[in-house]
Amino acid sequence: MSDTKKKFEAAAAAVLKAKKDPGSDMKLKLYAHYKQGTEGDVQGDKPGFTDFVNRAKYEAWAKLKGMSADDAQNAYIKLVDRITRE
């Protein structure tokens, strides 16, 4: 397992233990980077405009289209570091 992958998995576990709620915008960034880092580019149909939460998640993930898994995982690690330091 690569060093990045180990750090990514540790960050995914650490974010669940964060003492403070990072807020909706940060949660969307975390979600998008996690999905891009684990599954690649967004797949499936875009949720309808009345499905606010899932549509926001889809759009956040779609913005990262083309980003490599390693880049997404490194960005996720940095986001989690920022949250857990606060």
Side-chain angles (χ1 to χ4, degrees):
M1 184 182 295
S2 73
D3 190 46
T4 300
K5 184 74 172 163
K6 287 178 189 173
K7 288 180 182 177
F8 178 72
E9 289 177 359
V15 77
L16 297 175
K17 298 174 187 170
K19 292 175 176 56
K20 187 176 146 193
D21 184 345
S24 297
D25 289 340
M26 181 60 81
K27 286 180 184 176
L28 280 175
K29 287 179 186 176
L30 288 167
Y31 173 83
H33 284 88
Y34 184 86
K35 294 293 274 185
Q36 188 71 22
T38 57
E39 296 182 28
D41 290 341
V42 70
Q43 302 160 7
D45 295 331
K46 188 176 190 176
F49 71 93
T50 59
D51 188 355
F52 302 113
V53 173
N54 288 319
R55 186 175 179 98
K57 287 173 149 182
Y58 183 97
E59 289 174 349
W61 184 9
K63 287 179 185 176
L64 302 180
K65 186 175 182 177
M67 180 182 271
S68 73
D70 279 347
D71 288 346
Q73 289 178 5
N74 283 318
Y76 181 86
I77 292 164
K78 288 177 185 173
L79 289 170
V80 172
D81 283 345
R82 213 181 329 164
I83 292 169
T84 56
R85 270 191 261 135
E86 294 176 355

